[in-house]
């Protein structure tokens, strides 16, 4: 049986990581990057990052390796950000 408190603990960890990265690197999804000019909107930028993580996942699987926890955490975080942008705009 899935223990909700354990999942909540993991979710809180991922939310803390999102907050930390947002403080350190800024909100790179809702505004244009001053160095890299792009025509992608916020959701498309997130999609590109998600694709990078899925490509990494695929590499692990092809090499018969276990997907790293960092990759899983990053992917879940990006999916949460994507939901936020979709619901509240970017």
């Amino acid at each position: 049986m899935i223990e909700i408190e354990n999942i909540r603990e993991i979710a809180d960890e991922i939310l803390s990581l999102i907050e930390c990265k947002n403080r350190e690197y800024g909100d790179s999804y809702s505004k244009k990057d001053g160095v890299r000019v792009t025509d992608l909107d916020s959701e498309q930028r997130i999609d590109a990052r998600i694709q990078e993580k899925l490509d990494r996942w695929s590499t692990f699987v092809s090499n018969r390796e276990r997907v790293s926890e960092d990759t899983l955490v990053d992917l879940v975080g990006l999916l949460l950000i994507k939901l936020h942008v979709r619901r509240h705009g970017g």
Side-chain angles (χ1 to χ4, degrees), residues 18 27 29 46 76-86:
I18 290 170
D27 182 3
Y29 301 108
I46 296 166
V76 171
L78 287 166
L79 292 169
L80 288 171
I81 292 168
K82 181 175 175 83
L83 278 172
H84 167 74
V85 168
R86 183 169 284 179

Side-chain angles (χ1 to χ4, degrees), residues 43-65:
E43 199 165 342
Q44 290 170 322
R45 289 179 189 196
I46 296 166
D47 288 344
R49 295 285 294 133
I50 289 170
Q51 186 60 54
E52 290 173 6
K53 298 301 175 185
L54 290 174
D55 289 346
R56 182 176 293 168
W57 184 309
S58 179
T59 299
F60 280 115
V61 171
S62 323
N63 294 333
R64 299 180 187 270
E65 296 175 23

Side-chain angles (χ1 to χ4, degrees), residues 5-67:
E5 284 308 312
N6 290 345
I7 293 173
R8 189 178 320 276
E9 188 177 304
I10 293 167
D12 287 344
E13 174 188 326
I14 292 170
L15 290 174
S16 292
L17 181 63
I18 290 170
E19 288 174 337
C20 180
K21 285 185 175 185
N22 201 34
R23 272 194 311 273
E24 289 180 10
Y25 305 116
D27 182 3
S28 61
Y29 301 108
S30 65
K31 61 185 183 231
K32 293 220 180 227
D33 188 322
V35 177
R36 180 176 41 99
V37 179
T38 179
D39 292 329
L40 299 178
D41 65 26
S42 296
E43 199 165 342
Q44 290 170 322
R45 289 179 189 196
I46 296 166
D47 288 344
R49 295 285 294 133
I50 289 170
Q51 186 60 54
E52 290 173 6
K53 298 301 175 185
L54 290 174
D55 289 346
R56 182 176 293 168
W57 184 309
S58 179
T59 299
F60 280 115
V61 171
S62 323
N63 294 333
R64 299 180 187 270
E65 296 175 23
R66 186 173 185 193
V67 177

